[in-house]
């Protein structure tokens, strides 16, 4: 894992850490493209709405199948990039 190893961020053992992708990017400083960073910002916002049941109906209206497939594709690209980071292999 890049973040605990290469930053001062160390969540207390036994806690859930954070879901904030922007914070994690700032801490890890991965080598991502501008497009990937923009996508992560959008995904970060989307995840807030999809995590809460009272917001789910609205999220389902906004995130149709085509958009969801695009998010999956972009997520896979980011994951691939993170796996290629030399720090993730240590």
């Amino acid at each position: 894992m890049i973040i605990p190893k290469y930053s001062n961020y160390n969540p207390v053992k036994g806690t859930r850490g954070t879901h904030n992708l922007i914070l994690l990017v700032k801490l890890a400083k991965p080598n991502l493209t501008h497009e990937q960073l923009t996508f992560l910002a959008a995904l970060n916002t989307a995840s807030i709405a999809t995590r809460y049941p009272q917001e789910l109906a609205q999220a389902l209206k906004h995130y149709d199948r085509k958009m969801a497939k695009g998010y999956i594709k972009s997520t896979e690209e980011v994951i691939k990039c993170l796996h290629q980071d030399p720090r993730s292999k240590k």
Side-chain angles (χ1 to χ4, degrees):
M1 293 238 316
I2 295 171
I3 293 170
K5 204 169 198 177
Y6 295 97
S7 76
N8 291 328
Y9 181 77
N10 190 7
V12 177
K13 191 173 185 175
T15 65
R16 293 175 10 150
T18 182
H19 291 103
N20 186 331
L21 299 177
I22 304 304
L23 173 62
L24 295 172
V25 165
K26 286 179 180 179
L27 291 170
K29 299 178 180 82
N31 187 21
L32 300 175
T33 66
H34 177 73
E35 290 79 17
Q36 289 170 326
L37 292 171
T38 301
F39 165 70
L40 286 176
L43 184 61
N44 193 60
T45 302
S47 70
I48 293 168
T50 58
R51 247 184 271 148
Y52 300 100
Q54 65 272 22
E55 304 291 332
L56 187 57
Q58 185 64 29
L60 290 172
K61 289 179 189 174
H62 182 72
Y63 300 102
D64 61 13
R65 183 175 297 273
K66 182 178 178 182
M67 183 178 279
K69 285 183 178 186
Y71 271 45
I72 291 168
K73 182 177 186 256
S74 295
T75 300
E76 288 170 343
E77 291 170 3
V78 169
I79 291 169
K80 181 180 177 184
C81 185
L82 293 173
H83 281 289
Q84 291 173 346
D85 188 314
R87 297 174 298 163
S88 68
K89 294 173 179 38
K90 292 181 181 179

